[in-house]
Amino acid sequence: MREEKEGGDLVIGGARKIGGRCIIPIIRALVVRREGGAAVSLVPIALLFTEGEHECLTLLPGAPGGTAEILSTLRDDIEREKEKCAG
């Protein structure tokens, strides 16, 4: 996980192959810890569609500004998920 400026971390979800496309969810994860317990909030903010070498990022309502730029820091995780779809 990497820190996202507006609260929470952005994480790459598990890729799913549908037809010839790979769909990778981008999720904001926020963990709140208190008195020996924790609560986790997972909110999808974007979907990355890939087909061959082509990529298309679709932002969902509530996605923070600069999401596309933030994803450049998650490129290794994205490539790992793309490889899972190819296999």
Side-chain angles (χ1 to χ4, degrees):
M1 286 191 234
R2 292 189 173 79
E3 192 65 26
E4 192 261 313
K5 293 179 183 178
E6 296 177 14
D9 293 325
L10 290 187
V11 295
I12 304 302
R16 296 291 178 255
K17 187 171 185 175
I18 300 175
R21 290 188 178 108
C22 182
I23 302 172
I24 303 169
I26 314 302
I27 300 164
R28 179 186 295 165
L30 178 63
V31 179
V32 178
R33 293 179 183 91
R34 279 189 117 178
E35 302 176 16
V40 178
S41 171
L42 301 173
V43 178
I45 61 160
L47 296 172
L48 181 65
F49 296 89
T50 67
E51 188 171 6
E53 295 298 317
H54 301 285
E55 290 186 358
C56 177
L57 179 66
T58 301
L59 299 178
L60 300 175
T67 297
E69 291 79 25
I70 294 169
L71 290 183
S72 66
T73 65
L74 299 170
R75 184 49 56 183
D76 290 341
D77 297 334
I78 291 169
E79 292 302 323
R80 187 172 27 256
E81 290 301 318
K82 284 171 63 174
E83 287 176 17
K84 289 179 185 178
C85 276

